[in-house]
Amino acid sequence: MGTEIPNFYAVEGLDGVGKSTIVNELVKSGYNVLTTPPTEFKKLRPVFEHKDLRLRFLYYLLGVMYAVKIAQKIESGERTISDRYLLTTISAHEAMGLTPRWLSICMPIIKAVPIPENTFLITCEEQERLKRMYQRGANLVDKNNLSINKKILEGYFKWSNKLGHTLTTIDSTNIPPERVVETINKLTNK
């Protein structure tokens, strides 16, 4: 398994649960924020988005590996959080139809990816999640994922267990983003 990086965390969750809002609030709490794919990779995203699923997976996996290299360069006492990370990369692609054989071929790379100290899985009641997603402007990927979201969600639990990631679920349905941030801050302050 990958080594755990102290003070490095990830926020995962389906589209519309409030991840971006929560991450923006975490910046105000002093976190360094990384995104996957990283900004440097985003201009290449259209090249891989609707191509061969295996190539798309490799693009996102390389984005995770690049983000973790940046995280490792940040001063050790500073808290860093990644807006999506390895669990989303694997779970979403598996739900899209990436074969077990391809995941098996990539497993040495997957297992070498460093592990966050904690991964926060933000959840939300489905009707509320859809309402939020459409209010912020659902894109084509959001709409395409509607049929596989249940599999993606199941994948978070499956892959966190397989890869040894600590997974803390936070239901954001009836609480404001500030309360989610308070919860994360309590769990990340030592």
Side-chain angles (χ1 to χ4, degrees), residues 11 16 23 35 40 47 51 57 64 66 73 76 84 106 113 115 118 121 128 140 158 171 178 183 185 187:
V11 173
V23 167
T35 59
E40 297 83 351
V47 173
K51 302 293 181 199
F57 175 71
V64 166
Y66 183 79
K73 291 179 182 178
S76 64
R84 299 198 186 225
C106 295
V113 173
I115 298 171
N118 200 336
L121 176 61
E128 178 65 20
L140 184 60
K158 170 185 165 182
D171 185 345
E178 298 79 21
T183 302
N185 277 327
L187 292 169

Side-chain angles (χ1 to χ4, degrees), residues 40-86:
E40 297 83 351
F41 280 51
K42 289 193 178 172
K43 62 183 171 197
L44 296 172
R45 190 175 182 173
V47 173
F48 293 97
E49 195 61 44
H50 303 289
K51 302 293 181 199
D52 183 281
L53 189 59
R54 295 168 296 181
L55 292 177
R56 185 183 190 278
F57 175 71
L58 289 176
Y59 163 77
Y60 279 90
L61 185 58
L62 288 172
V64 166
M65 294 169 72
Y66 183 79
V68 83
K69 289 295 180 195
I70 294 169
Q72 290 171 325
K73 291 179 182 178
I74 294 171
E75 192 173 318
S76 64
E78 293 185 43
R79 294 179 299 174
T80 302
I81 197 148
S82 183
D83 183 354
R84 299 198 186 225
Y85 191 63
L86 185 61

Side-chain angles (χ1 to χ4, degrees), residues 131-183:
K131 179 178 131 189
R132 291 176 187 178
M133 188 175 74
Y134 285 105
Q135 281 177 339
R136 70 149 161 81
N139 61 38
L140 184 60
V141 174
D142 295 335
K143 292 174 184 176
N144 287 341
N145 285 349
L146 288 175
S147 64
I148 61 170
N149 278 330
K150 184 177 179 196
K151 286 182 182 179
I152 295 171
L153 193 58
E154 291 167 356
Y156 288 127
F157 296 100
K158 170 185 165 182
W159 287 103
S160 65
N161 189 40
K162 278 188 171 191
L163 298 173
H165 290 228
T166 300
L167 189 66
T168 301
T169 303
I170 303 172
D171 185 345
S172 70
T173 305
N174 295 311
I175 59 174
E178 298 79 21
R179 289 266 315 278
V180 176
V181 169
E182 284 175 21
T183 302

